[in-house]
Every structure is written in structure tokens, then in C-alpha cells.
Amino acid sequence: MYVHGHGVYDRSVATHVRKNITLPRSLDERIRKTARKRGTTQSGLIVHLVEKGLAAEASQVDRLLAFAGVLHGPPDLSETIDETVYHR
């Protein structure tokens, strides 16, 4: 525990991490307007959007992995794709 200013902080209970990022001005303005419109903080909006983006990315990877092992063909399929698929 340490004392800072007028408050006492316990580092072991910290649930957030401060990050510094650099944004294009146009994106900064969009974040400001959107946060204001939604009645939330810019930080809260950014966290929400990052979580959504990471979830969508993970979902795409899961969909691709569902096809792993589905295709059958010769062991050298990557080298003989034209012959195998297009019968050339």
C-alpha cells in the first residue's frame, strides 16, 4: 500500500491498466462524439470496442479452424493444387 495525494491505494486490487495510444485526429473526434452520444466515457467506449473487435477476430479464427482437417487430398496438395482441383 502507498499513500498518494489524499488517497490510499492498494496496488494488489488494481483492475485496470493505463495505456497510452496515439490516434489519428479524425478517429479521436469520432470517439469523442460517439462517447458523448452514448453517455459514456471515451475510455469506456474504447474498452467496449476493443473487446468487440477481439471477440469478432476470435470468432473468425474459430470458424476457420472448424474447417481444419475437412479437406482430403494428396499429401502434396499445396504443390499440386491445380492438378487436384482443376484436373490440369
Side-chain angles (χ1 to χ4, degrees):
M1 240 187 248
Y2 70 99
V3 177
H4 178 70
H6 299 301
V8 177
Y9 301 93
D10 184 350
R11 289 182 180 162
S12 66
V13 296
T15 59
H16 291 79
V17 176
R18 180 176 297 275
K19 296 284 183 188
N20 288 329
I21 60 172
T22 303
L23 301 171
R25 287 187 193 279
S26 60
L27 184 55
D28 177 61
E29 186 58 32
R30 288 174 59 195
I31 289 169
R32 288 175 188 276
K33 285 180 181 178
T34 303
R36 194 176 319 117
K37 183 193 249 184
R38 293 185 184 187
T40 188
T41 63
Q42 292 176 50
S43 179
L45 176 63
I46 291 168
V47 168
H48 170 73
L49 294 173
V50 168
E51 286 175 340
K52 269 183 74 170
L54 291 174
E57 187 176 89
S59 176
Q60 289 176 349
V61 169
D62 290 343
R63 283 195 300 263
L64 288 174
L65 289 178
F67 290 103
V70 171
L71 299 176
H72 300 285
D76 64 345
L77 181 59
S78 63
E79 297 168 6
T80 61
I81 190 74
D82 286 336
E83 294 87 2
T84 303
V85 174
Y86 303 110
H87 305 291
R88 295 184 195 172

